[in-house]
């Protein structure tokens, strides 16, 4: 028996040993089981999609050459009330990590628990702010206690599920804090103590995998400090034993209400990535691989839009964003194929002047080379190892054998997909939706009835704990007939810290205003006429996402905090109402009664005279899911501002009346250092018109959409659509392969253009050049029409002889319809 137990322990102990992975690092790379690794990671934030979407998103990342998925942990998502936790459904982070594991990928867990991430309050639960004596992100016992409690909880959960690499799980790196180095100066000596405390906390959690701290130039050992930005090739960690890690490669940017859509071209992302690996980088993580959607009230900001598309490799809905996905996929597989030489080889760099540089990695058996031209506008031709190479400006060529160029970051052979929205309506579904409506009952607020009072103007998140966007501030002013204000036109002046304000006076809406131009604090004045006796002043203050970034961002006030609120009469006679008796009410009555959950029709709704442009109105309709499996959006053009729910799921704030500027969308050049305003689209259009409705929220029939229209709008144009590929284009060099594919089971119906020679123009404007192979169109039509995907070798033997002379490097340009 004794020997049985002994062998059992031996075998079991051995099994758990073999399944454990040892993650370590040296100055060159992270090592996994002793081997230096090149890792290519991508961020997918689990709350920005649904649990049903995770496997598909992760698989598409894997197909795109990603080996590691990174996410933050979102504290306020899991601990909405102190010590009340929620890890169910889309909040099931353990399921998310297991999905990564099932796909055979690694994970990077950025616990924070401060995240930033354009997430409400940076991921901090707002209740933290109300704990007496607390100061966030500094050496403060109350904060440290909360942070330690949550961080330990997360570490214990992943340990229990055996998700750490040291337990055989997928998590290879974990992060504490986030970019504290950028703001630490503002916290003085206490900030330095806090930094060391974070390190001690991390060390005490015994995860047996390395910890990282991004943007922390002074990270104490054993923390690895890492780089975030558009380019990190020039980054050097603060310790010779730390490898060069790029935690956030911003491959686009987020969108704000009132702004255009930022994009970053595939050529520039590829350039940045290739330069990073050329210059000794070994791990980089795309921020974001899939940006997704800020559902509910989760956006930070203020004023971050509901879409968090980020121009990621997968669009907001999970479709491949082409050519970015494919162009970078090719790069990933090439970089991975050079893993050994890049992590063990000797590095030699040669400078050719004018921004041109060659790097050779050499081991005993192998050499691989990068040739880069970081000049922004001048192409180069260089002689390298007795061979001539052409290097377009702002590009990197990769030569895995130091002879043949297999990839140049500026030459895109992957298809471009132009996405379209299609109606795809279910049978018998009427063209127009049928609406019912009910008013938000604001009569109590107009009469000054609330739930608590104060003789001051309260800060909004203290008063609401951010339970709602809305806070009512109500007071009354008694005017006698002798009062100089009696029966006079006076000005009501409200100073607010933001973000929006509706003013009601004696039961009437007399004005409303939202902050614009990135300035959230504003003064709003309306003329009113005081009657005798009681005058009711009701101010509805609205927030649009709490600040998530910057030193002491958590202290940034919102609402009419402190005011002042004044009445100003002729001759500047002023009555200051700031210390009046103010009555408060948090949120709307309809939020309390959860009108948005009334899909079984318990409440009374009106079906006649659907009001248009009526503020504070609830609208409801039912609909069938659009056919097929492709992602669904709802077009909310016509509405003003508010929030939307589908079958009780909050799909986010909407604001289609907030337009983006009409200028600034010029043709974009990828060459030269990127910034979010370089490649923008959507000028002069609503910031966001379409809102994602995840398929998993829908049933086939009988779905309910409920809108809370705050500003006033017209729901009659609302409709549901699917998002799919409309047109596909490609521009492929001779010697490569044309690959086209549609999605959602659709086939290529028509090849509108194909020319093999020196065609000109871009997708949507292709035209023939000076020469071509006459049969190319026929060949492409034959291979592609009627197929969901097709591929054609770009060669004369396939496409027929051309009349181009030999100095022309030929390309095949194609445009087709899915
Ligand atoms: C970084 C931050 C991320 C995200 C990003 C911008 O500074 O670490 O969480 O906010 O900026 O998208």
């Amino acid at each position: 028996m004794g020997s049985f137990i002994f062998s059992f322990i031996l075998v079991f102990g051995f099994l758990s040993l073999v399944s454990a992975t040892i993650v370590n690092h040296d100055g060159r790379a992270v090592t996994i089981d002793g081997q230096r690794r090149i890792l290519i990671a991508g961020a997918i934030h689990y709350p920005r999609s649904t649990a049903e979407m995770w496997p598909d998103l992760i698989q598409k990342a894997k197909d795109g050459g990603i080996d590691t998925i990174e996410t933050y942990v979102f504290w306020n998502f899991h601990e909405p009330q102190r010590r009340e936790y929620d890890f169910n459904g889309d909040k099931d982070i353990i399921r998310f990590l297991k999905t990564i594991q099932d796909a055979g990928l690694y994970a990077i867990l950025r616990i924070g628990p401060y995240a930033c991430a354009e997430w409400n309050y940076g991921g901090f639960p707002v209740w933290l702010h109300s704990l007496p004596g607390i100061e966030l992100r500094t050496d403060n016992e109350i904060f440290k206690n909360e942070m330690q409690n949550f961080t330990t909880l997360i570490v214990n959960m992943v340990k229990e599920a055996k998700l750490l690499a040291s337990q055989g799980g997928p998590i290879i790196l974990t992060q504490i804090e986030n970019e504290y180095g950028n703001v630490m100066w503002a916290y003085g000596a206490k900030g330095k103590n806090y930094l060391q405390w974070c390190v001690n906390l991390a060390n005490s959690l015994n995860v047996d995998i390395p910890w990282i701290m991004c943007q922390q130039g002074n990270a104490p050992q054993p923390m690895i400090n890492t780089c975030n930005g558009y380019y990190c090739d020039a980054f050097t960690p603060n310790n010779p034993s730390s490898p060069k890690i790029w935690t956030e490669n911003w491959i686009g940017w987020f969108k704000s209400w009132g702004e255009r859509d930022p994009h970053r071209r595939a050529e520039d992302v590829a350039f940045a990535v290739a330069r990073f690996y050329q210059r000794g980088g070994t791990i980089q993580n795309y921020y974001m691989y899939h940006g997704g959607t800020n559902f509910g009230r989760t956006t930070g900001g203020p004023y971050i839009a509901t879409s968090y598309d980020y121009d990621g490799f997968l669009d907001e809905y999970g479709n491949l964003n082409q050519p970015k996905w494919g162009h970078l996929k090719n790069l990933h597989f090439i970089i991975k194929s050079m893993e050994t030489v890049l992590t063990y080889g000797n590095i030699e760099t040669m400078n050719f002047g004018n921004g041109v540089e060659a790097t050779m990695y050499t081991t005993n058996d192998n050499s691989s080379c990068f040739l880069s031209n970081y000049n922004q506008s001048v192409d180069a031709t260089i002689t390298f190892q007795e061979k001539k190479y052409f290097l377009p400006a702002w590009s990197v060529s990769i030569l895995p054998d130091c002879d043949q160029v297999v990839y140049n970051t500026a030459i895109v052979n992957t298809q471009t997909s132009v996405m379209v929205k299609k109606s795809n309506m279910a049978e018998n579904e009427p063209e127009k939706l049928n609406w019912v409506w009910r008013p938000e009952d604001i009569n109590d607020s107009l009469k000054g009835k609330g739930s608590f009072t104060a003789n001051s103007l309260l800060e909004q998140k203290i008063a609401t704990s951010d339970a709602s966007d809305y806070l009512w501030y109500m007071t009354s002013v008694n005017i006698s007939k002798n009062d100089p204000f009696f029966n006079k036109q006076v000005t009501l002046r409200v100073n607010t810290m933001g973000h929006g304000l509706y003013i009601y006076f004696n039961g009437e809406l007399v004005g409303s205003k939202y902050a614009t131009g990135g300035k959230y604090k504003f003064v709003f004045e309306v003329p009113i006429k005081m009657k005798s006796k009681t005058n009711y002043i009701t101010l509805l203050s609205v927030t649009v996402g709490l600040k998530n970034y910057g030193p002491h961002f958590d202290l940034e006030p919102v609402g009419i905090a402190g005011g002042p609120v004044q009445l100003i009469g002729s001759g500047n006679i002023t009555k200051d109402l700031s210390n009046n008796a103010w009555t408060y009410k948090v949120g709307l009555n309809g939020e309390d009664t959860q009108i948005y959950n009334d899909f079984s029709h318990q409440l009374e709704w009106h079906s006649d005279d659907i009001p248009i442009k009526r503020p504070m109105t609830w609208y409801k309709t039912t609909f069938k899911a659009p056919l097929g499996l492709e992602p669904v959006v709802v077009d909310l053009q016509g509405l003003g501002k508010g929030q939307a729910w589908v079958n009780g799921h909050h799909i986010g704030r909407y604001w289609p009346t907030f337009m983006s500027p009409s200028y600034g969308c010029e043709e974009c050049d990828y060459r030269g250092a990127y910034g979010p305003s370089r490649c923008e689209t959507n000028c002069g259009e609503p910031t966001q018109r379409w809102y994602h409705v995840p398929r998993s929220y829908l049933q086939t029939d009988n779905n309910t959409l409920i809108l809370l229209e705050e500003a006033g709008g017209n729901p009659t144009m609302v409709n549901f659509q699917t998002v799919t590929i409309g047109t596909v284009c490609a521009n492929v060099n001779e010697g490569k392969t044309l690959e086209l594919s549609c999605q959602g089971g659709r086939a290529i119906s028509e090849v509108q253009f194909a020319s093999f020679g020196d065609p000109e123009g871009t997708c949507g404007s292709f035209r023939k050049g000076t020469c071509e192979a006459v049969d190319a169109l026929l060949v492409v039509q034959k291979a592609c029409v009627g197929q969901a995907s097709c591929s054609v070798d770009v060669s004369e033997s396939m496409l027929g002889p051309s009349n181009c002379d030999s100095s022309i490097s030929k390309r095949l340009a194609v445009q087709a319809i899915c």
Side-chain angles (χ1 to χ4, degrees):
M1 185 64 182
S3 79
F4 171 76
I5 293 176
F6 179 70
S7 26
F8 177 79
I9 292 174
L10 208 72
V11 170
F12 191 75
F14 179 70
L15 274 182
S16 53
L17 254 185
V18 282
S19 58
T21 309
I22 297 167
V23 185
N24 218 321
H25 67 88
D26 54 28
R28 188 79 177 255
V30 159
T31 58
I32 297 185
D33 287 336
Q35 284 294 307
R36 288 184 182 152
R37 298 300 304 271
I38 289 283
L39 295 171
I40 302 176
I44 299 178
H45 294 158
Y46 56 98
R48 288 179 156 136
S49 51
T50 62
E52 289 78 4
M53 290 169 72
W54 297 338
D56 178 58
L57 298 174
I58 292 166
Q59 185 59 44
K60 283 173 172 159
K62 185 178 181 180
D63 295 344
I66 293 296
D67 47 39
T68 306
I69 303 291
E70 178 271 323
T71 184
Y72 284 118
V73 180
F74 295 87
W75 185 358
N76 53 14
F77 203 49
H78 298 299
E79 195 177 347
Q81 307 300 330
R82 189 161 183 262
R83 304 297 180 265
E84 285 175 25
Y85 300 103
D86 188 352
F87 290 96
N88 295 314
D90 297 340
K91 297 190 167 120
D92 190 346
I93 185 173
I94 297 297
R95 174 169 167 192
F96 180 70
L97 292 164
K98 285 189 171 159
T99 312
I100 297 170
Q101 183 173 33
D102 291 346
L105 301 185
Y106 294 123
I108 298 175
L109 192 62
R110 299 210 281 164
I111 300 179
Y114 164 66
C116 190
E118 291 69 71
W119 191 260
N120 196 39
Y121 215 40
F124 283 145
V126 176
W127 54 257
L128 279 178
H129 184 62
S130 304
L131 295 182
I134 199 166
E135 283 175 72
L136 273 55
R137 297 183 87 192
T138 190
D139 187 9
N140 170 280
E141 292 306 318
I142 300 152
F143 173 69
K144 288 189 301 185
N145 179 43
E146 296 303 317
M147 171 163 163
Q148 176 161 5
N149 181 71
F150 184 73
T151 309
T152 310
L153 177 94
I154 293 296
V155 169
N156 287 343
M157 279 177 70
V158 298
K159 278 188 183 172
E160 193 149 308
K162 302 230 176 323
L163 289 169
L164 296 169
S166 48
Q167 305 171 292
I171 305 172
I172 52 168
L173 295 174
T174 183
Q175 174 177 300
I176 190 106
E177 251 292 345
N178 189 75
E179 294 192 334
Y180 193 61
N182 291 1
V183 297
M184 198 172 124
W185 55 271
Y187 298 83
K190 282 172 84 180
K192 288 196 187 128
N193 297 343
Y194 168 64
L195 172 66
Q196 188 56 53
W197 176 83
C198 289
V199 177
N200 298 345
L201 169 64
N203 284 334
S204 74
L205 293 166
N206 297 322
V207 291
D208 294 331
I209 54 171
W211 283 94
I212 54 174
M213 292 193 97
C214 60
Q215 298 285 96
Q216 194 70 56
N218 57 351
Q221 285 297 294
M223 298 285 143
I224 306 173
N225 77 308
T226 65
C227 180
N228 293 345
Y230 294 111
Y231 307 93
C232 279
D233 53 284
F235 169 74
T236 320
N238 67 346
N239 191 286
S241 69
S242 296
K244 183 160 156 175
I245 300 181
W246 187 1
T247 22
E248 292 180 25
N249 174 355
W250 301 326
I251 66 154
W253 200 242
F254 56 87
K255 180 160 82 166
S256 298
W257 298 115
E259 295 297 334
R260 312 163 191 92
D261 280 6
H263 295 274
R264 186 176 176 198
R265 293 260 304 257
E267 294 93 328
D268 180 46
V269 180
F271 171 76
V273 173
R275 282 285 292 166
F276 179 71
Y277 289 106
Q278 173 176 13
R279 298 189 66 191
T282 45
I283 302 185
Q284 68 107 31
N285 174 51
Y286 293 108
Y287 190 97
M288 301 290 301
Y289 198 85
H290 171 251
T293 309
N294 293 312
F295 296 114
R297 299 175 53 248
T298 60
T299 71
Y303 276 35
I304 311 284
T306 295
S307 167
Y308 196 66
D309 182 89
Y310 222 93
D311 203 18
F313 290 95
L314 306 178
D315 70 12
E316 177 180 0
Y317 322 111
N319 300 308
L320 302 189
N321 177 9
Q322 293 278 44
K324 214 176 215 178
W325 184 86
H327 187 50
L328 271 295
K329 166 188 171 160
N330 295 341
L331 176 59
H332 300 153
F333 283 107
I334 292 163
I335 298 277
K336 290 292 278 191
S337 74
M338 306 188 325
E339 182 168 43
T340 310
V341 73
L342 292 185
T343 52
Y344 288 93
N346 285 329
I347 310 177
E348 199 190 334
T349 301
M350 288 142 266
N351 196 325
F352 289 78
N354 223 6
V356 178
E357 210 171 71
T359 308
M360 185 186 275
Y361 284 81
T362 315
T363 57
N364 288 340
D365 335 306
N366 209 350
S367 341
S368 292
C369 292
F370 294 85
L371 304 180
S372 62
N373 179 2
Y374 56 87
N375 193 301
Q376 305 189 8
S377 51
V378 185
D379 298 342
T381 303
I382 58 162
T383 306
F384 174 67
Q385 299 195 323
E386 292 165 24
K387 222 172 139 176
K388 273 203 161 34
Y389 293 92
F390 173 69
L391 278 175
W394 206 254
S395 82
V396 181
S397 282
I398 302 179
L399 300 69
D401 61 356
C402 286
D403 180 51
Q404 293 291 320
V405 175
V406 303
Y407 186 91
N408 176 278
T409 56
I411 299 175
V412 178
N413 288 307
T414 307
Q415 82 175 40
T416 296
S417 305
V418 182
M419 306 308 286
V420 291
K421 312 217 167 47
K422 297 205 167 171
S423 108
N424 255 6
M425 257 184 327
E427 243 178 88
N428 304 329
E429 186 71 344
E431 189 86 356
K432 288 218 169 234
L433 295 162
N434 271 321
W435 291 92
V436 292
W437 70 283
R438 45 181 285 139
E440 165 65 22
D441 182 4
I442 59 171
N443 287 324
D444 52 351
S445 305
L446 299 181
K447 286 274 150 60
K449 293 203 187 89
S451 46
F452 57 94
T453 56
N455 287 328
S456 60
L457 291 158
L458 301 177
E459 198 277 339
Q460 187 156 343
K461 66 181 167 306
I462 295 182
T464 62
S465 243
D466 200 37
S468 164
D469 282 359
Y470 303 103
L471 178 64
W472 298 94
Y473 292 74
M474 301 162 280
T475 195
S476 56
V477 184
N478 283 321
I479 298 283
S480 66
K481 291 223 160 120
N482 312 328
D483 194 295
F485 282 19
F486 170 65
N487 214 11
K488 290 271 159 43
Q489 182 97 352
V490 299
T491 299
L492 173 59
R493 179 189 290 163
V494 182
N495 288 259
T496 176
M497 302 305 289
H499 309 126
L501 187 62
Y502 292 81
I503 300 186
Y504 298 84
F505 179 68
N506 287 335
E508 297 290 327
L509 179 62
V510 290
S512 68
K513 183 180 163 95
Y514 266 93
T516 51
K519 298 207 168 39
Y520 301 104
K521 171 179 167 179
F522 62 89
V523 183
F524 188 35
E525 293 185 349
V526 287
I528 51 176
K529 198 167 192 183
M530 306 298 276
K531 57 174 196 176
S532 74
K533 300 215 180 109
T534 311
N535 293 274
Y536 291 102
I537 295 174
T538 298
L539 309 174
L540 176 62
S541 174
V542 192
T543 53
V544 191
L546 299 180
K547 199 168 179 192
N548 59 273
Y549 181 69
H552 301 293
F553 73 86
D554 52 295
L555 300 179
E556 186 87 0
V558 281
I560 310 169
V565 172
Q566 298 157 320
L567 291 173
I568 299 155
S570 67
N572 265 347
I573 308 174
T574 303
K575 274 191 207 293
D576 193 332
L577 308 180
S578 308
N579 296 319
N580 257 33
W582 288 91
T583 304
Y584 290 88
K585 179 179 160 69
V586 175
L588 306 181
N589 287 322
E591 290 179 295
D592 285 349
T593 51
Q594 304 190 346
I595 291 186
Y596 46 82
N597 276 335
D598 187 39
F599 26 97
S600 58
H601 227 74
Q602 302 290 312
L603 300 169
E604 195 191 320
W605 293 83
H606 310 288
S607 51
D608 52 338
D609 295 335
I610 301 302
I612 308 277
K613 294 215 162 155
R614 183 186 187 284
M616 289 295 159
T617 306
W618 294 84
Y619 294 102
K620 172 160 114 161
T621 188
T622 53
F623 64 99
K624 287 186 182 166
L627 299 173
L629 297 172
E630 287 179 291
V632 176
V633 288
V634 59
D635 180 356
L636 295 183
Q637 175 100 311
L639 286 153
K641 176 184 179 291
Q643 298 174 42
W645 290 260
V646 170
N647 296 338
H649 299 277
H650 195 324
I651 62 166
R653 296 190 185 94
Y654 66 80
W655 203 348
T657 44
F658 207 159
M659 308 298 277
S660 76
S662 57
Y663 56 90
C665 290
E666 294 76 34
E667 180 66 11
C668 122
D669 185 349
Y670 65 84
R671 298 173 309 169
Y674 178 77
S677 61
R678 277 202 69 167
C679 293
E680 295 188 305
T681 61
N682 202 43
C683 281
E685 299 288 331
T687 312
Q688 188 177 348
R689 172 172 162 188
W690 290 278
Y691 296 80
H692 184 202
V693 183
R695 280 268 176 198
S696 59
Y697 291 175
L698 295 174
Q699 297 139 24
T700 313
D701 300 318
N702 276 334
N703 299 289
T704 305
L705 168 69
I706 296 181
L707 305 174
L708 163 60
E709 175 53 53
E710 160 204 318
N714 176 358
T716 59
M717 288 180 289
V718 169
N719 66 90
F720 289 84
Q721 295 161 350
T722 58
V723 186
T724 190
I725 300 177
T727 301
V728 281
C729 288
N731 202 344
V732 184
N733 285 46
E734 186 168 16
K736 304 276 180 192
T737 306
L738 164 80
E739 288 180 355
L740 296 181
S741 50
C742 300
Q743 70 174 31
R746 241 177 279 273
I748 293 172
S749 59
E750 186 192 345
V751 177
Q752 297 175 308
F753 180 89
S755 176
F756 177 49
D758 58 350
E760 291 167 15
T762 53
C763 190
S765 67
F766 281 135
R767 37 186 202 280
K768 288 180 183 170
T770 59
C771 63
E772 67 172 350
V774 281
D775 289 339
L777 178 61
L778 275 176
V779 175
V780 176
Q781 280 172 334
K782 202 159 165 235
C784 298
V785 173
Q787 309 293 322
S789 65
C790 61
S791 64
V792 178
D793 285 338
V794 181
S795 64
E796 288 210 347
S797 62
M798 192 67 209
L799 297 160
S802 75
N803 58 353
C804 301
D805 78 48
S806 60
S807 65
I808 288 180
S809 50
K810 294 192 282 301
R811 285 176 293 106
L812 169 65
V814 176
Q815 181 169 320
I817 303 282
C818 279

